[in-house]
Amino acid sequence: MLRLFLDSADIDEIRTVYSLITLDGVTTNPSILAESRNKYGSPVLALKVISRFVSDHGGTLHVQPVGTSYQAILEDAHFLLDELGGNTWIKIPVTEDGLAAISTLSREGVHVTAASVFTFSQGMLAYKAGAECVSVYCNRAQDNGIDYTSVISSIKNAFPEKMLLAASFKNTAQAEIASYSGADSLTLKAKVLFSDLKTDLMKKTVDSFKMSWLDAYKKDRIKPE
């Protein structure tokens, strides 16, 4: 079954989406945290609130360190784990330093999501370093001339038992293609996730139902007045 995550650091948005559908967790990154600047002021406090909420709903929170050197990644990761709990998944971009950090943290028993993956080689190296999940950045790959469908399918074919999280979407069509290509998990921003509910086609369809009823019964409700 496809797993679905929300890409957000806005606790109000997260609560709203959870009230509508079942999610498997929340993903964040430094850019998303910087954009949210929510009412809690401190990003760490915001993450604590999000982590507690997601955990209470049976999901997982994936958080990315800000540091980019091996030592900085480890320090940020250990700080996040101390603050948020051991069930937190640490997202690490697959750079040379990132790969070394993935290897170290995975040996410590930390749940690691390898992020910013654009090639089969990155995915292979991340899994071999101990990452439990690889996240392919689809729209960002496409914008740079990379066929993300081929990357997803080749990684999934080589490591069928591993979790592959497709991320970075500008529309739901990309997410559908990622799923068809082999991704077993998706993470989307709320505005993308619900975008197909607001199309002109949907509005025209719903309006046509209402107009047919109005023409026949001269009222806009089934419930008797």
Side-chain angles (χ1 to χ4, degrees):
M1 179 181 293
L2 182 71
R3 283 171 283 194
L4 181 63
F5 295 80
L6 183 66
D7 207 19
S8 177
D10 184 330
I11 185 59
D12 294 325
E13 179 179 71
I14 292 167
R15 285 174 175 146
T16 297
V17 175
Y18 264 85
S19 74
L20 298 173
I21 62 175
T22 300
L23 290 171
D24 294 284
V26 169
T27 62
T28 72
N29 62 42
S31 295
I32 292 174
L33 279 166
E35 288 171 4
S36 65
R37 300 202 177 192
N38 57 46
K39 61 186 178 184
Y40 295 102
S42 162
V44 176
L45 181 55
L47 285 170
K48 284 184 176 182
V49 174
I50 294 169
S51 177
R52 189 178 306 113
F53 179 86
V54 171
S55 180
D56 288 345
H57 287 78
T60 55
L61 175 62
H62 299 238
V63 186
Q64 182 174 320
V66 176
T68 57
S69 70
Y70 169 73
Q71 192 59 40
I73 293 170
L74 291 185
E75 290 175 358
D76 274 1
H78 289 138
F79 173 79
L80 288 167
L81 292 167
D82 288 342
E83 293 292 323
L84 306 178
N87 193 42
T88 305
W89 289 57
I90 302 298
K91 286 176 61 180
I92 302 175
V94 186
T95 61
E96 189 170 349
D97 283 276
L99 190 67
I102 290 171
S103 180
T104 297
L105 290 170
S106 65
R107 288 197 300 270
E108 294 175 0
V110 175
H111 300 296
V112 176
T113 295
S116 302
V117 171
F118 302 106
T119 67
F120 170 81
S121 176
Q122 280 182 296
M124 174 183 66
L125 291 170
Y127 281 139
K128 289 300 186 179
E132 296 177 61
C133 173
V134 157
S135 183
V136 177
Y137 282 22
C138 299
N139 186 63
R140 192 166 295 191
Q142 183 173 293
D143 283 348
N144 286 274
I146 300 169
D147 180 2
Y148 69 87
T149 65
S150 176
V151 175
I152 289 172
S153 61
S154 60
I155 293 175
K156 196 61 183 178
N157 285 337
F159 302 92
E161 76 286 357
K162 296 287 189 177
M163 179 177 172
L164 193 150
L165 174 66
S168 176
F169 297 113
K170 68 177 180 181
N171 54 54
T172 55
Q174 287 181 326
E176 178 183 355
I177 294 169
S179 176
Y180 181 79
S181 300
D184 50 60
S185 307
L186 304 174
T187 184
L188 295 92
K189 293 184 177 180
K191 66 180 181 180
V192 176
L193 182 60
F194 295 107
S195 60
D196 288 349
L197 307 184
K198 302 176 182 179
T199 62
D200 288 341
L201 177 59
M202 278 303 302
K203 185 178 186 306
K204 290 176 181 178
T205 300
V206 173
D207 286 348
S208 71
F209 294 145
K210 187 172 182 179
M211 289 306 300
S212 296
W213 183 266
L214 281 170
D215 288 344
Y217 298 103
K218 312 305 179 188
K219 60 180 183 177
D220 61 2
R221 297 286 298 277
I222 291 180
K223 181 181 177 181
E225 296 179 357

